[in-house]
Amino acid sequence: MFNRNILIRVGIMIKKYRLELEVANNNLKPSPSWAYLLYATMIENIKTEYVEYLHEDGLNPINQYVHIPDRNCPNKIEWNINLLGNEAISQVEPFLMKIENIRLKKFDTDITVTNRVITCTTTEADILNTYLTTGNAFKNMRIDFLSATSFKSNEKYVLFPSVDLILKSAVSKWNAFSSSYALDDEEALQQMIDRTRIYQYALRSNSFMLKQARIPGFRGYIKLYSTGPDPMVRLINLLFGFLEYSGVGIKTTLGMGGCKVTLEGE
């Protein structure tokens, strides 16, 4: 499945950012769907040529979502942005590091940036080396879906996650990103699907408003267990771990599919 002695020395950079925001109008109740409005503000403030590139087919190198950490303080929200690749970082980071106020015309309110932090800087090489060579293999895994998440299958939205949809989403996103390690073995992918199961979950339906459309989805968490051999488990760990950067499922650039992945035991 892969060379256990591989040591990747080059790779693409990834940065994760968290902007803490405060909404001026205390009567408003922010929603994770606001991520779409914040994304619209972002692309208004970067080069037109790069925006045109973002609208082309393929993996968008921007994954972002809104998280409301404390429901008792709904006017304080977190905007999480992941930039995949040096070009995305060079084009978008200046905006993220200088923006102080955002005007949301739709809700006639201002948002102030109260804090900003780069929460992670890594590379494709770091990810590959950690998961495939130097780190442990974890058979127990947990995925927390932090913003509304959905998949599409047979032109229909899927309201419950499955191992095959998650892994196929992860493989697709990884292959669109990686410059050195493509995963194109269909038989190996099917083996990973067959040897991994969801054994616990706490999910609820949760829709995402996109312009005038309501996209059905879910939030919550799932726990998974793999019975595969060490090389297979390592590869699954890599794919699931990468979802923290790329998002999972559909419309991750617009605010859906934000997630946290925890590897819970060998």
Side-chain angles (χ1 to χ4, degrees), residues 100-114:
E100 298 290 344
N101 294 283
I102 300 171
R103 179 69 180 172
L104 290 190
K105 297 178 182 178
K106 179 176 180 178
F107 295 103
D108 191 28
T109 192
D110 292 309
I111 296 178
T112 301
V113 179
T114 59

Side-chain angles (χ1 to χ4, degrees), residues 26-69:
N26 290 323
N27 294 319
L28 287 174
K29 292 184 178 180
S31 161
S33 297
W34 283 23
Y36 174 71
L37 302 176
L38 295 174
Y39 176 73
T41 299
M42 178 193 295
I43 63 173
E44 287 173 359
N45 287 275
I46 59 179
K47 293 181 180 179
T48 302
E49 295 83 358
Y50 191 67
V51 174
E52 292 174 352
Y53 162 75
L54 294 176
H55 291 159
E56 295 177 2
D57 291 337
L59 175 70
N60 189 308
I62 301 173
N63 160 239
Q64 56 89 31
Y65 62 94
V66 163
H67 177 55
I68 304 172

Side-chain angles (χ1 to χ4, degrees), residues 4 17 29-30 39 44 49 66 74 77-78 107 120 142 150 160 162-163 168 181 190 205 211 226 236 240 248 251:
R4 184 68 175 80
Y17 308 77
K29 292 184 178 180
Y39 176 73
E44 287 173 359
E49 295 83 358
V66 163
I77 64 178
E78 293 178 355
F107 295 103
C120 176
R142 170 173 169 149
S150 189
F160 192 87
S162 64
V163 172
K168 287 176 181 177
Y181 192 76
Q190 189 58 52
S205 58
K211 297 182 179 179
S226 175
I236 294 170
F240 284 173
V248 57
K251 303 189 185 301

Side-chain angles (χ1 to χ4, degrees), residues 248-262:
V248 57
I250 63 173
K251 303 189 185 301
T252 55
T253 296
L254 303 181
M256 298 186 70
C259 67
K260 176 183 177 182
V261 176
T262 306

